[in-house]
Amino acid sequence: MFKIGDIELKNCVVLAPMAGVCNSAFRLTVKEFGAGLVCAEMVSDKAILLNNARTMGMLYIDEREKPLSLQIFGGEKETLVEAAKFVDKNTTADIIDINMGCPVPKITKCDAGAKWLLDPNKIYDMVASVVEAVDKPVTVKMRMGWDDEHIFAVQNAQAIERAGAKAVALHGRTRVQMYEGTANWDIIKEVKESVNIPVIGNGDVTTPQDAKRMLDETGVDGVMIGRAALGNPWMIYRTVKYLETGELMDEPGVREKMEVCKLHLDRLIALKNEKIAVREMRKHAAWYLKGIRGNAKVRNDINLMNTRDEFVTLLDEFVLEMEAKEKSASQAG
């Protein structure tokens, strides 16, 4: 167990805040698989202040998800502080996280996301202003630098700590790398050794063994899992179990995967509405199906689904087909 401010986490496995993915339906599903902390997808400070309907929907939190970190982004101090104050007083989030890692141009051109990484002084000023304005603990998620010539991870982390933030999550890639190449765990170790607040390591944790290795090699307090959890909340469960007991749990079978996929769909329908949820669920279902031999046709067919009933029928038929194949293979063997 470790603490972020006064918030106690039951373990050190954290779901990363992934844009377009980490809504309440996904977060709750991952939470039930044992995550110590789940993080909401980033929300624009200006959209919060404009009371944008879609953005207000993104602030929805199911109490079963808690503890939860809600992430905001912006490039101007005034609007970031006002948005943080709104989140502080009008949501049940436990932690307010500031995004300093998003690499996409539409975010960085607004001086937000990873653009902050070039200026430790701005980081200090922005984070200190938010910390002063809110009661909830403030954290930061950042990358190690803008590019190979501008890696200020240690200075930035120290500025974050000086500003009063309660933890920092570090993705061991530069902005230029986006999601390519290899994450640099050495810089994560350097950052951990340079500050006293908790550090959460992120990048290239794709198996429970990776999580253990990151903890051992870098000394971080927590491990953040992102893309490896897409369609695979078992990655969270298996990692928690492996870190606690050293036991590597079995991967789920096809039926179990599809049952959780359907649960996720129903939660998404309750959150948004059937039409939007079914459309959004197509990408999630493709992730749930990933790695299952013989999934090509069903992955294609999913993109034609428009209703919950069609979706569920397709998944159920796929399960029966896979189980029939498995049975005949075992009989032949």
Side-chain angles (χ1 to χ4, degrees):
M1 186 196 296
F2 76 99
K3 292 177 78 170
I4 294 177
D6 57 355
I7 307 300
E8 288 189 0
L9 311 185
K10 65 179 181 180
N11 61 58
C12 67
V13 180
V14 180
L15 174 70
M18 292 176 282
V21 171
C22 285
N23 53 45
S24 179
F26 179 71
R27 297 190 310 254
L28 178 57
T29 303
V30 171
K31 185 69 176 189
E32 289 176 342
F33 277 82
L37 177 70
V38 293
C39 302
E41 59 188 314
M42 65 180 188
V43 183
S44 158
D45 59 351
K46 289 186 170 66
I48 290 173
L49 300 181
L50 289 169
N51 202 29
N52 174 278
R54 182 172 169 273
T55 300
M56 291 299 116
M58 290 167 74
L59 299 180
Y60 172 76
I61 297 165
D62 184 313
E63 288 301 296
R64 292 172 293 174
E65 299 173 50
K66 290 161 65 68
L68 174 131
S69 167
L70 204 155
Q71 188 182 74
I72 57 175
F73 74 91
E76 297 166 26
K77 181 164 68 175
E78 294 72 20
T79 50
L80 195 76
V81 167
E82 287 307 310
K85 282 158 77 171
F86 181 90
V87 170
D88 192 45
K89 296 290 179 262
N90 297 284
T91 78
T92 58
D94 300 282
I95 295 163
I96 298 171
D97 188 61
I98 301 172
N99 181 298
M100 281 188 220
C102 183
V104 302
K106 75 174 183 181
I107 304 295
T108 57
K109 75 179 182 188
C110 302
D111 287 334
K115 195 65 182 284
W116 289 33
L117 300 172
L118 292 164
D119 189 351
N121 292 326
K122 175 179 179 174
I123 287 174
Y124 172 79
D125 186 34
M126 298 277 268
V127 175
S129 299
V130 171
V131 168
E132 195 176 317
V134 302
D135 295 324
K136 297 181 194 292
V138 175
T139 60
V140 171
K141 181 166 193 290
M142 67 175 187
R143 286 177 173 245
M144 69 177 185
W146 181 261
D147 56 25
D148 286 342
E149 283 70 52
H150 300 88
I151 295 178
F152 306 140
V154 168
Q155 299 97 305
N156 289 343
Q158 289 170 337
I160 288 163
E161 180 176 40
R162 252 193 348 270
K166 299 300 184 189
V168 60
L170 178 62
H171 184 164
R173 286 183 172 84
T174 62
R175 184 263 165 179
V176 168
Q177 275 182 279
M178 299 291 279
Y179 299 97
E180 304 298 321
T182 305
N184 183 338
W185 289 8
D186 291 337
I187 197 82
I188 296 175
K189 183 173 192 281
E190 279 182 51
V191 166
K192 172 58 192 167
E193 290 170 352
S194 73
V195 295
N196 294 309
I197 56 174
V199 175
I200 300 166
N202 179 216
D204 293 352
V205 177
T206 60
T207 66
Q209 297 96 315
D210 289 337
K212 175 84 163 61
R213 191 165 57 83
M214 178 181 271
L215 288 164
D216 291 345
E217 290 182 9
T218 67
V220 288
D221 303 273
V223 174
M224 186 171 271
I225 296 171
R227 288 174 292 167
L230 296 175
N232 187 18
W234 296 270
M235 170 59 183
I236 302 290
Y237 169 73
R238 295 174 75 241
T239 299
V240 170
K241 285 291 180 193
Y242 186 69
L243 294 178
E244 286 176 353
T245 67
E247 183 184 358
L248 203 53
M249 308 300 285
D250 290 340
E251 294 274 11
V254 177
R255 180 174 287 275
E256 186 182 348
K257 279 191 167 188
M258 295 307 103
E259 288 302 318
V260 173
C261 184
K262 290 188 292 184
L263 172 67
H264 187 168
L265 169 63
D266 286 336
R267 285 178 170 162
L268 209 47
I269 290 170
L271 188 67
K272 302 200 173 188
N273 72 40
E274 185 172 9
K275 186 178 178 183
I276 293 171
V278 167
R279 200 164 59 234
E280 269 193 30
M281 198 63 201
R282 291 169 182 172
K283 66 182 178 188
H284 286 282
W287 288 323
Y288 279 100
L289 287 159
K290 191 176 176 185
I292 299 173
R293 194 188 297 263
N295 70 13
K297 184 179 184 302
V298 71
R299 283 179 75 163
N300 287 333
D301 290 347
I302 273 165
N303 293 318
L304 307 174
M305 300 297 106
N306 294 304
T307 69
R308 178 198 181 274
D309 288 349
E310 289 174 350
F311 215 107
V312 168
T313 299
L314 182 68
L315 296 181
D316 287 346
E317 287 174 352
F318 178 66
V319 170
L320 293 174
E321 180 193 334
M322 290 295 102
E323 288 179 344
K325 280 184 180 174
E326 197 176 305
K327 188 177 179 184
S328 64
S330 66
Q331 286 172 347

